[in-house]
Amino acid sequence: MFDRLELRVVTDRRSSQVRFLVNGEDVVEESIGPGTDGRGPSSVLLFPPDGPSPLRATEEPRRVVLGEPECTGGCCGYLSAVIRRIADVVLWSDWELPADATRPLEYTFDAAQYEAELTRTAAAWPQPGAAG
């Protein structure tokens, strides 16, 4: 059985963040704790206007930062996973954790559902210079 990914964009006057919900649970908050940052000030890098998202899964594994503690990742470390695609499965594994974090599970997603969620989120992502 596959895990289910939902990406939630949270926008305030200063920035937009991505919250990573897997099976309804916020992965970053569950690992690092309440008040954590869903990718922090570099959230814009997850859905760049001029290229593919680093969240896109390919056969080439890549490490992606998903969040950081309130004190910043530069202080205590980032929460990151290796994202890769194996046939029709997207895998999040090989977690690196900030200090005192709880290791998330290894997640497996149906590649079609995963890609559809990335496409949906990219379409809703606030574009630079857009009124808001």
Side-chain angles (χ1 to χ4, degrees):
M1 184 165 173
F2 290 114
D3 294 295
R4 182 154 183 83
L5 178 66
E6 177 187 350
L7 301 176
R8 198 169 287 163
V9 178
V10 179
T11 303
D12 63 23
R13 290 186 179 265
R14 296 175 288 131
S15 66
S16 295
Q17 295 181 1
V18 178
R19 303 308 298 189
F20 301 92
L21 282 71
V22 176
N23 305 324
E25 300 292 327
D26 187 315
V27 173
V28 176
E29 192 168 284
E30 290 289 319
S31 178
I32 303 173
T36 57
D37 199 348
R39 184 60 172 102
S42 299
S43 251
V44 69
L45 299 177
L46 290 177
F47 293 97
D50 58 352
S53 169
L55 294 169
R56 291 258 181 238
T58 65
E59 291 179 3
E60 182 70 30
R62 91 170 124 267
R63 181 161 299 283
V64 178
V65 173
L66 301 175
E68 63 183 307
E70 191 173 14
C71 65
T72 77
C75 172
C76 296
Y78 295 92
L79 177 68
S80 68
V82 171
I83 297 176
R84 76 189 86 164
R85 183 173 177 155
I86 305 167
D88 293 332
V89 176
V90 173
L91 179 66
W92 284 12
S93 63
D94 303 310
W95 293 93
E96 287 186 357
L97 310 171
D100 301 322
T102 302
R103 182 173 302 282
L105 299 172
E106 185 172 273
Y107 296 117
T108 56
F109 305 101
D110 172 78
Q113 185 272 323
Y114 184 90
E115 291 295 327
E117 183 62 8
L118 290 183
T119 300
R120 182 196 67 78
T121 305
W125 188 256
Q127 294 302 309

